[in-house]
Amino acid sequence: AKLNRDVAIKVLPEALARDPASLSRFEREAQAVAALSHPNILAIYDFGSAQGATYAVSELLEGDTLRARLAGGALPIRKAIDYGVHIVRGVAAAHERGIVHRDLKPENIFITKDGVVKILDFGLAKTAHTPAAPAETQLAADTTPGTVLGTVGYMSPEQVRGLAVDHRTDIFSFGAILYEMLTGRRAFRGDSHVETMNAILKEDPPEFAEINSALPSSLDRIIRRCLEKSPADRFHSAHDLAIALEAMSGASSQSAASIAPVAVPSSSRWRLPLLAGAALLVVGLGAFFAGRATSAAPEGSAPEFQRLTYRRGPVFSAKLAPDGTTIVFSAAWDGNPTQLFSTRAESPESLLLPYANADVVAISSKGELAIVSRRRNLRAYARPGTLARAPISSGASRDVLEDVQDADWLPDASNLVVTHVVNGRYRLEFPIGTSVYETGGWISHPRVSPDGRHVAFLDHPIMGDDRGSVAVIDASGTKKTLSPDYESTQGLAWLPSGREVWYTGALKGSGRSLYAATLDAHVRPVLRVPATLTIGDIASDGTVLLAHDNGRRGIVGRAPDETKERDLSWLDWSQPNAISDDGRTLLITEEGDGGGPGYAIYLRKTDGSPAVRLGAGEAMDLSPDGKWVLAQRLNPAPAQLFLMPTGAGDTRAVTNDDITHLAALFTPDGKQFVFAGFQPNKPPRTFIQSLSGGAPRPVTPEGVTGLLMAPGGTKVMARDSDGQRKLFPIDGGAPEPVRGLEPADGVIRFTADGRGLLVRRLIADGVAQISRVDLATGSRTPVRQIAPLRESLGNGGIGQILLTPDAGAYVYGYGVTLSDLYLVKGLR
């Protein structure tokens, strides 16, 4: 009143004010914020007690949380970067004062009506163990290793493990937030929150190319550095991260669809001509692949796109034979391992070549292949293998050299140029055995000039990272860099005239585009589109071979008494949650389904009839009678559980406490449920609770979680602290070891009689063996094999498997990465 200023007053509820731990946290939050003075952090004006109420006075904010802004999906690239810069500036200010937030998430980021970003809720803040300045408030640490704090989905791996954390845990959380702002999807998500935590520990989020190929790959790399599992591999400070983002903020003003001039730091700068007297917009991939993409071709000339491949899966490499119409490429079609194929421009059919798990890296003037067999059937950078020579049609290959990343033929086909790993370092050999360049980074895509005098290549300074530049070298070892540094660069080829090297790279912004560089280091853009492109080759007539990717997630299943599988996906990100015991009803969670933001719950019959939307939420389990769905709501925190009817009726909450609920299943009688969750400042464990009310009761020790319940409802299976799976009695007592299980087994469910377990094990690429393990004897009996529905599964492999008790019906999740090859004529 004295200052005539509107403020916000945060009052600690009376019950919590009597709790020393809650009171301490509230006071610590106020002290933490008061120690900071930054425009991107909520300002605290006062703290105290009056008439028994403990309160904090802060500035009054008007606007929305970032979570509310994300309700409409992904943010525009420029807006996401701008918000990201503000968030990181605030985080950096906190870190400079020795304060770690530890609970960054969209709910704790506020966007005012004026567009100012404010970081809220320092309730979990902790002061790092570093010397404080004389006037600095030092906060007491209240947690020790073994305590899990944070919010699932945004926790760092060290938080999930309950280890000690420092400022780098905030960098990890920020990476997850930035990923969600740009993609509209959470970086880490599983079919349950336990699986989400497992994903944080072991998995990486899908690449931008799988979600929206128009997103800048350079931002993808910033995010992935934030999300490194080891803190030492992340940005060393929020200040460094802010610098990296600020460098992107200028580039973000160029829309991914805008064909604006591209400035290249070179002695001569080129600009894209304006087609039809004005800059055109590429309005989508459909328009691009229909031939409406713009390029640097002369006015009145438009490139022509001819699609070559029509199958499901990723393409890893592609080259043109000397005739200019035969294309050899490596791909993992329909869930199969990587194989080599040949096709012709005039035919949509592809011929399988007898070379498995290999990439084609070059085709000689005499039609002989150079192939590299990789050690893993995955796309990856800096992954050498065995170089071999092989006939283009059929016959046996002949090994040439180990530890080769890439290779190209000399013009007369007498020998090869290779990028060869020797004593852990990459070197360019021109030809094999003669080293002309060596680096502590790595080298890819060496290509010999048409006259045989030079080799152009991509020079990557960081091992395993595809950022880099284009360079050229001669036989004497004289090297020259032809291009600026790119955030991502993959693919390179010479023009038949030898006057230019064409390559695909992302300088700033919208994924890899096609560029050309002369030997005098003059760079110009050739083709910019809202897609991630990789150049494979250039024919003698100037036709260019290009590739492009995208992806999705779905469900395949087989209904009772049927002999064939069918795709049971509903939208483009379908996750299976439960199958009824009769195998005729499937519970599905969809993400961002058009009915609203976040997750939505569907029921679908396994006979393929349309799915029925039940409502918003993340599905956990279907009740034994099929009348209820046990589901989770994430907001407001902590995450709670509710029941949703499958028919008429109202939803109702079944939990309302301080436990963060991660995953849950009904008990066999449908009257109770078990769930994994954690209370404030404690590791997760398994609880059991009645649907009719009452407090939850612990089943497993702290740090031990598991939900699979035996048919009698008396025991829960969980992995003990020693890593062994055991049965924990619901009513207490010593756990019992489970006989017959092996480390490679994935437990799916108990058999109907409770005497055995149904387990899965991958026995080949995309093939799962389902077996019954007898709990009394430990013996196992094969039950069935689940082989992918090739035309539906693509290359993603089998995900979660759900079975009926007799294994007569089943469903499983899958993921797909799709690639297409194109021949493009008319580029100049």
Side-chain angles (χ1 to χ4, degrees):
K2 292 180 180 179
L3 297 178
N4 194 28
R5 176 169 58 184
D6 290 333
V7 297
I9 301 178
K10 185 176 183 179
V11 180
L12 195 65
E14 183 178 354
L16 293 180
R18 293 195 299 266
D19 176 29
S22 299
L23 182 61
S24 175
R25 173 179 168 177
F26 190 53
E27 183 175 4
R28 187 172 63 252
E29 177 185 5
Q31 291 175 338
V33 177
L36 305 170
S37 178
H38 193 275
N40 297 123
I41 297 176
L42 178 75
I44 290 286
Y45 299 138
D46 195 11
F47 176 83
S49 298
Q51 300 176 359
T54 302
Y55 64 88
V57 182
S58 71
E59 63 179 318
L60 178 65
L61 303 180
E62 295 183 356
D64 297 302
T65 65
L66 178 58
R67 173 61 67 205
R69 294 290 180 96
L70 290 173
L75 304 180
I77 296 174
R78 181 184 180 90
K79 185 66 69 178
I81 295 175
D82 289 344
Y83 287 170
V85 169
H86 291 164
I87 295 168
V88 175
R89 286 173 179 167
V91 170
H95 290 178
E96 288 172 3
R97 301 285 289 184
I99 297 172
V100 182
H101 190 285
R102 296 198 297 173
D103 196 23
L104 287 176
K105 56 185 177 181
E107 290 81 354
N108 286 340
I109 307 298
F110 198 94
I111 314 297
T112 70
K113 291 182 178 180
D114 297 329
V116 178
V117 176
K118 297 280 186 176
I119 302 174
L120 314 178
D121 197 356
F122 278 71
L124 292 186
K126 174 184 176 183
T127 295
H129 296 287
T130 54
E136 191 172 15
T137 301
Q138 184 76 11
L139 304 182
D142 69 340
T143 59
T144 58
T147 300
V148 175
L149 288 176
T151 300
V152 175
Y154 304 93
M155 296 166 68
S156 65
E158 54 269 31
Q159 282 180 298
V160 170
R161 292 190 172 99
L163 303 176
V165 301
D166 59 17
H167 64 282
R168 293 168 296 185
T169 197
D170 287 347
I171 291 174
F172 186 98
S173 300
F174 171 78
I177 294 170
L178 181 58
Y179 184 95
E180 190 170 349
M181 285 196 289
L182 289 165
T183 66
R185 298 179 177 181
R186 299 201 178 199
F188 301 100
R189 54 185 169 222
D191 295 330
S192 69
H193 275 57
V194 170
E195 292 185 15
T196 298
M197 296 172 77
N198 188 60
I200 290 172
L201 293 175
K202 300 179 181 179
E203 299 175 8
D204 294 320
E207 295 183 1
F208 281 177
E210 298 178 37
I211 299 173
N212 181 356
S213 57
L215 291 172
S217 56
S218 49
L219 274 176
D220 196 343
R221 277 185 297 280
I222 289 176
I223 290 172
R224 291 185 188 281
R225 187 171 177 190
C226 292
L227 298 179
E228 288 286 350
K229 307 303 182 188
S230 171
D233 294 332
R234 298 174 203 152
F235 284 93
H236 292 292
S237 69
H239 178 71
D240 291 343
L241 174 56
I243 292 174
L245 281 176
E246 287 166 353
M248 291 294 303
S249 61
S252 67
S253 60
Q254 274 193 349
S255 166
S258 174
I259 310 303
V262 182
V264 178
S266 174
S267 58
S268 176
R269 295 184 176 182
W270 299 71
R271 293 183 180 273
L272 286 173
L274 302 181
L275 299 184
L280 300 181
L281 293 180
V282 178
V283 294
L285 290 177
F288 160 49
F289 290 125
R292 283 193 270 171
T294 58
S295 73
E299 186 174 346
S301 170
E304 299 177 5
F305 295 85
Q306 179 185 353
R307 186 173 173 178
L308 298 173
T309 57
Y310 297 86
R311 297 176 66 181
R312 299 172 66 87
V315 172
F316 298 130
S317 61
K319 291 290 177 286
L320 284 161
D323 62 12
T325 59
T326 299
I327 300 97
V328 178
F329 63 95
S330 64
W333 290 144
D334 308 321
N336 288 296
T338 303
Q339 296 173 299
L340 282 188
F341 299 85
S342 68
T343 188
R344 293 183 63 81
E346 64 271 16
S347 171
E349 300 296 328
S350 297
L351 173 67
L352 176 63
L353 300 179
Y355 312 116
N357 294 317
D359 290 336
V360 55
V361 294
I363 305 177
S364 76
S365 57
K366 297 179 179 179
E368 186 177 12
L369 301 178
I371 62 176
V372 175
S373 298
R374 308 294 184 184
R375 296 190 179 95
R376 290 179 292 134
N377 185 33
L378 296 169
R379 187 194 300 262
Y381 305 138
R383 185 167 54 88
T386 301
L387 174 67
R389 300 168 61 155
I392 198 170
S393 56
S394 62
S397 61
R398 180 171 65 86
D399 291 350
V400 175
L401 188 64
E402 297 287 345
D403 298 319
V404 172
Q405 175 70 34
D406 212 335
D408 194 21
W409 291 96
L410 297 179
D412 62 2
S414 61
N415 207 333
L416 291 132
V417 169
V418 297
T419 54
H420 186 198
V421 181
V422 180
N423 296 324
R425 290 177 62 86
Y426 271 74
R427 68 186 193 186
L428 180 63
E429 297 180 4
F430 180 16
I432 291 177
T434 303
S435 178
V436 293
Y437 177 64
E438 186 171 309
T439 176
W442 65 292
I443 308 165
S444 70
H445 300 85
R447 299 293 177 258
V448 183
S449 62
D451 61 11
R453 297 173 55 189
H454 297 88
V455 175
F457 61 97
L458 299 179
D459 197 7
H460 308 281
I462 302 174
M463 186 69 69
D465 191 308
D466 72 336
R467 71 187 63 204
S469 58
V470 179
V472 67
I473 197 166
D474 61 22
S476 69
T478 301
K479 173 180 172 285
K480 182 177 183 180
T481 299
L482 304 184
S483 77
D485 291 328
Y486 289 86
E487 291 296 317
S488 169
T489 178
Q490 290 285 312
L492 183 148
W494 286 87
L495 274 185
S497 65
R499 292 195 300 266
E500 287 182 325
V501 175
W502 286 23
Y503 58 95
T504 36
L507 187 63
K508 289 181 180 179
S510 59
R512 289 197 297 269
S513 301
L514 183 60
Y515 294 91
T518 68
L519 296 183
D520 293 330
H522 294 166
V523 174
R524 65 182 180 90
V526 177
L527 177 66
R528 298 194 69 198
V529 296
T532 296
L533 302 176
T534 303
I535 185 171
D537 214 341
I538 303 177
S540 59
D541 65 354
T543 299
V544 178
L545 183 61
L546 288 173
H548 164 260
D549 297 331
N550 62 53
R552 66 171 301 221
R553 182 173 179 176
I555 304 170
V556 166
R558 198 176 89 172
D561 306 321
E562 295 191 3
T563 59
K564 293 184 178 180
E565 294 178 341
R566 60 166 51 92
D567 197 311
L568 295 170
S569 312
W570 187 237
L571 303 179
D572 68 350
W573 205 260
S574 303
Q575 304 174 59
N577 298 107
I579 188 172
S580 60
D581 282 350
D582 64 5
R584 302 191 184 279
T585 303
L586 173 64
L587 181 64
I588 297 173
T589 297
E590 289 281 355
E591 185 174 356
D593 68 336
Y599 297 104
I601 300 170
Y602 287 81
L603 277 186
R604 188 173 193 186
K605 297 297 183 183
T606 54
D607 62 7
S609 54
V612 177
R613 188 180 191 274
L614 300 182
E618 183 176 1
M620 297 281 137
D621 196 19
L622 185 66
S623 64
D625 61 9
K627 295 181 179 181
W628 296 94
V629 171
L630 186 60
Q632 179 195 63
R633 65 162 175 78
L634 299 177
N635 299 309
Q640 300 293 323
L641 302 176
F642 65 94
L643 285 177
M644 175 182 288
T646 59
D650 298 322
T651 61
R652 65 181 178 90
V654 293
T655 65
N656 183 23
D657 48 38
D658 64 348
I659 299 176
T660 297
H661 298 77
L662 305 174
L665 293 177
F666 286 102
T667 56
D669 61 6
K671 297 180 180 180
Q672 303 180 89
F673 60 95
V674 289
F675 67 90
F678 59 87
Q679 296 171 293
N681 303 330
K682 293 183 179 180
R685 68 195 308 180
T686 297
F687 298 83
I688 188 168
Q689 186 170 337
S690 173
L691 289 170
S692 60
R697 181 163 50 85
V699 175
T700 63
E702 290 184 350
V704 176
T705 59
L707 298 179
L708 189 62
M709 180 167 281
T714 60
K715 300 174 183 177
V716 168
M717 179 179 291
R719 196 182 293 270
D720 205 346
S721 56
D722 60 5
Q724 300 299 312
R725 280 171 282 208
K726 296 179 181 179
L727 294 173
F728 289 80
I730 293 296
D731 295 327
E736 305 170 12
V738 179
R739 301 182 62 182
L741 289 182
E742 299 176 4
D745 290 332
V747 178
I748 301 174
R749 66 172 303 156
F750 280 89
T751 56
D753 59 11
R755 299 176 181 176
L757 292 169
L758 294 174
V759 303
R760 61 176 282 179
R761 180 183 296 184
L762 290 178
I763 59 174
D765 285 333
V767 179
Q769 173 68 57
I770 308 299
S771 300
R772 182 186 189 276
V773 175
D774 189 279
L775 291 176
T777 65
S779 62
R780 70 177 54 218
T781 305
V783 174
R784 69 159 59 249
Q785 286 186 9
I786 296 179
L789 184 66
R790 301 297 186 184
E791 61 268 25
S792 295
L793 184 58
N795 71 299
I798 295 177
Q800 182 184 19
I801 297 176
L802 302 175
L803 290 168
T804 55
D806 62 357
Y810 59 85
V811 297
Y812 58 86
Y814 69 88
V816 175
T817 298
L818 306 177
S819 297
D820 297 307
L821 277 178
Y822 287 84
L823 283 177
V824 187
K825 296 180 180 292
L827 294 175
R828 293 177 173 81

